[in-house]
Amino acid sequence: MIINNKKIINLPVFTEAGQEIGRLADFEIDIDSQSIINYYIIPHHAITSLFKNRLIINRGQIIDISEDKIIVSDNFVKSKEKKFSTERKKQPVTSPTPE
């Protein structure tokens, strides 16, 4: 089966046990092997408090992908996605030194 990115993005993601963990937000492709390496999942509202960042699921943890859902291994491990801040770090305020 062939599925394009418009159909795969936003698919619900479930564990083998049937627990919904979220929806597919994005994925990474290795251009050398032309393979998807990681899937980025936005957590389901019920587990949002447990996972503040998107979940990163490696392709080896994917059990099945169909037109209506993605199934992942029950023992998937949460990985933190790096956050990049656009804010400048504040410099400490120093008092002028008396001369």
Side-chain angles (χ1 to χ4, degrees), residues 7 12 21 27 32 35 40 45-46 49 70 80 86 89 97:
K7 289 185 179 179
I21 60 170
F27 52 87
D32 294 327
S35 301
Y40 293 88
H45 65 83
S49 61
I70 297 172
K80 290 185 178 179
T86 56
K89 290 186 178 180
T97 55

Side-chain angles (χ1 to χ4, degrees), residues 17 42 65:
I42 296 173
I65 298 175

Side-chain angles (χ1 to χ4, degrees), residues 48-63:
T48 300
S49 61
L50 297 175
F51 303 110
K52 295 188 185 205
N53 298 318
R54 292 190 294 181
L55 304 174
I56 301 171
I57 298 183
N58 185 273
R59 70 180 179 176
Q61 297 170 298
I62 301 293
I63 303 300

Side-chain angles (χ1 to χ4, degrees), residues 60-90:
Q61 297 170 298
I62 301 293
I63 303 300
D64 187 41
I65 298 175
S66 67
E67 290 183 2
D68 60 333
K69 65 183 170 184
I70 297 172
I71 299 174
V72 301
S73 169
D74 280 335
N75 61 354
F76 76 94
V77 178
K78 181 195 128 181
S79 299
K80 290 185 178 179
E81 180 179 276
K82 293 181 181 178
K83 285 189 171 182
F84 296 98
S85 176
T86 56
E87 296 179 17
R88 290 185 180 182
K89 290 186 178 180
K90 294 182 180 178

